[in-house]
Amino acid sequence: MPSRRFDQIKPFATLGALLLAWLILPALFKRFARASFYEMQAPIEVSASYARELQDYWSLRTRSKNELIAAGKELSGVAARYEQAANENRALRDEISRLEDLLRLPSFANYRSEPARVVSRDLTAWWQRLTIRKGSRHGITVGVPVIYSGGVVGRVAEVHANTSVVNLISSPEVRLAASFEGDLRPISFQGGINPPLSRPMGSVEFVPLDLYANAAEPKTLVTSGLGGMFPRGLRLGSVIRLEPSPDGLFKTGRVEIDSRLNELTEVIILLPLDPP
């Protein structure tokens, strides 16, 4: 009879023993086990990403010659516009350098751009992250900025051998020093809890009382370049509402972030040439 009773509670005893062993194991072993599990899982996600690209390639191979000719003509026009924009950008950079030398202003820190492909997304209400196809083997480090054509994507939170995890600026885990375009006074930006399939939003705090914004006249929010690796002037979003804070000393408001943030397939990682 006691043997039968022991057989009934044996699974629960085993589970309890495993939980107890996990609790008393050193934190270093837990971290090693977590990293090892991630490194085993990462190739599966990367392979799925390559498979999706291969599928897109073969779907394009089924297009007719007329469609390919039309696409080539359109691509030629896009390339010409990009070449013109590159020339204008080069001229503007030369003008900025001339003005900085004339006014004896310090230049922005130099960065190296590292393009990366998006592998997967985790866009729950709390965890708003991207996994990208670049890691420590490509020189990626924790904390470096990630951007795209619309401004800031987020900050690298975890780095593995061939992949990295990026916290989006819409995540409540991301807080940045920001300022309004044309105003150098620093304020605080933070992501928020965004429901799935909704436009990403954030919030600002410690806004001076003499600043105003509403949906009809929004204010552009950019990085201030203070207290981190983010250079000054990168777009964060548009402030569509400002209200007095409970203490009455500052204002708080909501930030509307570009909706393309949830649809990115390619991003740029900014790697400082002279890391702090």
Side-chain angles (χ1 to χ4, degrees):
M1 188 71 178
S3 177
R4 184 178 180 182
R5 183 177 300 175
F6 177 76
D7 291 339
Q8 292 176 349
I9 65 172
K10 185 177 180 180
F12 301 100
T14 304
L15 179 61
L18 291 175
L19 290 176
L20 182 61
W22 179 255
L23 290 175
I24 63 177
L25 282 174
L28 181 62
F29 178 81
K30 296 178 183 179
R31 187 178 302 173
F32 174 78
R34 180 175 180 273
S36 300
F37 176 77
Y38 189 93
E39 292 295 346
M40 292 175 60
Q41 185 184 14
I44 300 176
E45 295 183 348
V46 173
S47 299
S49 175
Y50 280 114
R52 288 193 297 268
E53 293 182 1
L54 183 61
Q55 183 180 7
D56 293 339
Y57 168 77
W58 283 110
S59 65
L60 292 175
R61 288 291 300 267
T62 61
R63 300 290 181 88
S64 66
K65 292 183 178 180
N66 292 333
E67 290 178 330
L68 293 177
I69 292 173
K73 291 180 179 179
E74 184 179 357
L75 186 60
S76 299
V78 172
R81 290 194 293 270
Y82 271 117
E83 184 177 0
Q84 181 182 359
N87 293 331
E88 293 177 354
N89 184 45
R90 193 177 300 110
L92 290 174
R93 287 182 178 274
D94 293 340
E95 181 66 13
I96 290 173
S97 299
R98 187 184 69 83
L99 292 175
E100 287 177 345
D101 294 338
L102 181 63
L103 300 175
R104 297 180 180 178
L105 295 175
S107 299
F108 292 148
N110 292 324
Y111 290 83
R112 175 174 68 86
S113 298
E114 183 72 34
R117 194 77 173 172
V118 175
V119 174
S120 62
R121 300 177 178 83
D122 185 4
L123 301 178
T124 58
W126 183 262
W127 297 110
Q128 298 170 49
R129 293 180 162 189
L130 296 177
T131 301
I132 57 177
R133 204 194 294 167
K134 289 289 177 71
S136 58
R137 294 181 180 177
H138 306 87
I140 311 301
T141 57
V142 173
V144 295
V146 182
I147 64 172
Y148 73 118
S149 59
V152 178
V153 174
R155 177 194 289 129
V156 173
E158 300 177 15
V159 178
H160 304 277
N162 295 302
T163 58
S164 299
V165 178
V166 180
N167 280 341
L168 301 179
I169 58 170
S170 56
S171 170
E173 291 192 353
V174 174
R175 182 183 288 270
L176 297 173
S179 61
F180 287 113
E181 201 170 49
D183 192 315
L184 298 180
R185 289 175 289 182
I187 58 179
S188 177
F189 166 83
Q190 185 176 13
I193 299 178
N194 294 284
L197 303 179
S198 63
R199 179 158 192 162
M201 303 290 290
S203 61
V204 286
E205 297 177 318
F206 309 115
V207 179
L209 295 175
D210 60 336
L211 295 177
Y212 300 89
N214 51 53
E217 297 180 356
K219 283 189 172 294
T220 301
L221 190 70
V222 298
T223 54
S224 66
L226 301 175
M229 295 186 181
F230 284 80
R232 196 176 80 186
L234 297 175
R235 181 183 174 87
L236 293 170
S238 299
V239 177
I240 58 175
R241 188 176 67 192
L242 284 175
E243 298 175 344
S245 58
D247 56 16
L249 299 177
F250 298 96
K251 287 184 177 180
T252 60
R254 298 186 65 190
V255 182
E256 194 174 74
I257 302 172
D258 197 320
S259 59
R260 291 177 294 173
L261 187 69
N262 295 338
E263 304 170 355
L264 296 174
T265 57
E266 195 89 18
V267 296
I268 298 293
I269 308 164
L270 293 182
L271 299 175
L273 298 178
D274 186 15

